[in-house]
Amino acid sequence: MKTFTDKRRNASSDGGNSGFKMKQLPFMGVICSVTLYIVYRTTNYQYYETQMETKLHPFDSVEDNELPSGKLKDLPRGIMHTRSDLELRPQWRKSLRSAVKVNTNKNLLAMPVGIKQKEHVDDVVKKFRTENFTIVLFHYDGKVDGWWDLDWCDKAIHIVAHNQTKWWFAKRFLHPDIVSTYDYIFLWDEDLGVEHFNPGRYLEIVKSEGLEISQPALDPNSTEIHHRITIRSRMKKFHRRVYELRGKTRCSNISEGPPCSGFVEGMAPVFSRAAWRCAWHLIQNDLVHGWGMDMKLGYCAQGDRTKNVGVIDREYIVHKGIQTLGGTGELTKKTKKKRGTSSGSSGLDPRAEIRRQSTWELKIFKERWNQAVTRDKDWIDPFPRQQRRRKHKRQSKFVDLYD
């Protein structure tokens, strides 16, 4: 039986325990507050580090960051660099401690070239060199030695593969990860006159108008013009569409796709970094002539192709129409006939074989596109084919109206 004294002792003991617990509450609150503060500061610091990393390495993608921990487990993460470029590096420097020169070339010009078009290529490269472009030449005839007398030749990158096309070279040597340091990629043919073209002023227009894919307009006096939208308008700085109310291809203000709007031709396209990453994947490894690609490039415009694709009128070029692959690198038969000259040759024209191959590749490309669209159930076409057609009550000639 508990006595009164025992009860008092128990009460005192319980009161002491309660008092101890009450004293612990503020202490635990401080501990929790400190812990939360540390977690907050750590999270904030990690976020800050992520933001700084993004600014310092803006071209690193999620796939790049996941790569070391995924497929490359044999190497320590810090030894791997996710970016590269096409800049030349010296084999030695005057001082072993001297810093590596920071790359200042922000844009890239890549061209397929043959020695017979050396004069034309020299004119083009000189224009781009003054604007600090990196130059890549794809030599399809293998005759690299004939270029060394040009003062810029040793500063360019030369890639040789006999009788290959521009798209063949681009697929193999212009991988998006390799050219990710360049803001814009110019993938041009060699038969272009640049007397009225300035790369710097061209890019000023492209950037100000937010064009992801573009091309310089063609002088109306060019030897070959395939699409009305590429012809220069003398009254405009640039245009995104054309109006044509006659012929097989009719373009009106309700036309939403190539070749009326959202279109550039394959002879002189210019891509932003993001657009090129998409376009590179569109190039088929085995279809080397690129026929059909121009009609699909709008899908790489990083949004609305009617707004993000355009033709620059103020800086324009001349298309000389010189066929090289499979030929002599001289004027085409069509051009010679126009100028009243004779081809001076007889027999099979290799250009006919190339055209036959190109036509076949176009058919294959269309089939692949249609099959891919059918099989990919998750893909939604952002540019559905225009269903409604406007009836035109009158016929008209070319209309020089541009947006």
Side-chain angles (χ1 to χ4, degrees):
M1 219 178 143
K2 290 184 178 181
T3 64
F4 178 73
T5 304
D6 293 333
K7 290 180 179 179
R8 291 186 63 183
R9 288 176 180 174
N10 290 337
S12 299
S13 177
D14 292 341
N17 290 335
S18 299
F20 179 74
K21 291 179 179 178
M22 291 297 292
K23 290 179 180 179
Q24 280 185 325
L25 289 178
F27 178 73
M28 293 299 294
V30 172
I31 295 296
C32 290
S33 299
V34 172
T35 302
L36 290 174
Y37 178 75
I38 293 174
V39 172
Y40 168 76
R41 292 287 295 179
T42 303
T43 304
N44 192 49
Y45 177 76
Q46 290 176 342
Y47 174 78
Y48 174 77
E49 286 291 304
T50 302
Q51 293 294 100
M52 289 300 296
E53 185 70 16
T54 302
K55 291 180 180 180
L56 292 174
H57 305 288
F59 308 117
D60 292 352
S61 63
V62 175
E63 291 78 10
D64 293 333
N65 292 330
E66 291 177 348
L67 185 60
S69 61
K71 297 181 180 180
L72 295 178
K73 296 180 179 180
D74 298 329
L75 298 176
R77 184 183 180 90
I79 198 64
M80 289 174 281
H81 289 255
T82 57
R83 297 180 299 146
S84 186
D85 54 43
L86 291 170
E87 299 308 303
L88 300 176
R89 298 287 188 256
Q91 295 186 33
W92 66 87
R93 296 185 292 275
K94 294 181 179 179
S95 172
L96 294 178
R97 295 184 179 181
S98 61
V100 177
K101 183 179 179 181
V102 177
N103 171 37
T104 58
N105 294 348
K106 295 299 183 181
N107 304 293
L108 175 72
L109 169 68
M111 299 176 64
V113 300
I115 194 64
K116 292 184 178 180
Q117 309 310 323
K118 179 179 175 180
E119 182 178 350
H120 295 148
V121 175
D122 185 33
D123 291 339
V124 174
V125 172
K126 285 180 178 178
K127 287 265 187 175
F128 282 83
R129 285 290 298 173
T130 59
E131 298 294 335
N132 210 21
F133 272 67
T134 295
I135 308 298
V136 180
L137 300 184
F138 302 134
H139 295 270
Y140 57 79
D141 60 356
K143 298 179 180 180
V144 183
D145 291 340
W147 297 80
W148 294 116
D149 60 322
L150 301 177
D151 57 1
W152 51 261
C153 186
D154 60 342
K155 299 178 181 64
I157 298 163
H158 303 266
I159 301 174
V160 182
H162 284 270
N163 211 33
Q164 299 304 306
T165 69
K166 175 171 71 175
W167 302 109
W168 184 94
F169 281 108
K171 185 67 173 180
R172 286 151 183 82
F173 300 104
L174 298 182
H175 188 280
D177 289 345
I178 296 298
V179 299
S180 64
T181 61
Y182 305 106
D183 293 333
Y184 293 92
I185 293 91
F186 288 63
L187 188 58
W188 281 19
D189 290 349
E190 60 183 329
D191 60 337
L192 304 175
V194 292
E195 181 180 355
H196 306 287
F197 180 84
N198 180 280
R201 292 196 295 265
Y202 179 91
L203 287 179
E204 287 178 3
I205 299 174
V206 168
K207 293 175 183 179
S208 66
E209 302 301 332
L211 301 178
E212 297 285 338
I213 301 176
S214 62
Q215 76 159 82
L218 300 183
D219 188 307
N221 295 321
S222 296
T223 301
E224 289 189 4
I225 297 177
H226 304 119
H227 299 281
R228 179 68 179 84
I229 193 173
T230 63
I231 300 177
R232 179 191 178 223
S233 170
R234 291 186 174 88
M235 305 302 294
K236 297 293 182 180
K237 179 171 67 174
F238 77 102
H239 64 272
R240 294 186 175 97
R241 65 162 59 240
V242 68
Y243 297 90
E244 169 55 72
L245 304 179
R246 70 174 186 176
K248 182 184 295 186
T249 302
R250 299 192 177 188
C251 300
S252 67
N253 58 354
I254 64 171
S255 301
E256 297 180 351
C260 302
S261 66
F263 176 85
V264 299
E265 200 170 355
M267 70 181 71
V270 179
F271 302 91
S272 70
R273 183 190 307 112
W276 176 247
R277 181 170 290 275
C278 171
W280 183 87
H281 287 283
L282 186 62
I283 302 173
Q284 304 295 292
N285 185 66
D286 57 329
L287 305 182
V288 299
H289 291 288
W291 278 29
M293 274 189 55
D294 52 2
M295 294 294 177
K296 303 300 182 184
L297 285 178
Y299 286 91
C300 295
Q302 311 303 297
D304 188 347
R305 64 186 175 187
T306 63
K307 296 180 180 178
N308 297 346
V309 180
V311 178
I312 309 301
D313 297 295
R314 188 162 295 174
E315 302 298 324
Y316 61 99
I317 58 177
V318 177
H319 186 205
K320 300 179 182 296
I322 301 174
Q323 305 291 353
T324 52
L325 287 177
T328 61
E330 303 296 338
L331 297 175
T332 62
K333 289 183 177 180
K334 179 180 177 181
T335 304
K336 289 180 177 180
K337 185 176 181 181
K338 284 183 179 180
R339 299 187 180 183
T341 58
S342 174
S343 63
S345 61
S346 60
L348 180 66
D349 181 9
R351 293 296 307 172
E353 296 300 320
I354 287 181
R355 187 171 185 83
R356 186 177 295 110
Q357 174 72 20
S358 300
T359 304
W360 176 82
E361 289 190 4
L362 174 61
K363 178 176 179 295
I364 298 299
F365 180 80
K366 288 182 177 179
E367 291 175 353
R368 289 182 184 178
W369 178 271
N370 293 333
Q371 290 174 1
V373 170
T374 301
R375 292 173 181 173
D376 191 346
K377 303 301 181 182
D378 297 326
W379 185 75
I380 300 176
D381 192 341
F383 310 117
R385 181 174 298 178
Q386 185 72 25
Q387 297 297 329
R388 57 191 178 88
R389 296 179 180 273
R390 176 173 295 183
K391 295 182 179 180
H392 298 282
K393 296 182 179 180
R394 61 184 180 84
Q395 293 182 349
S396 62
K397 298 183 179 181
F398 285 132
V399 183
D400 289 327
L401 300 175
Y402 295 85
D403 285 350

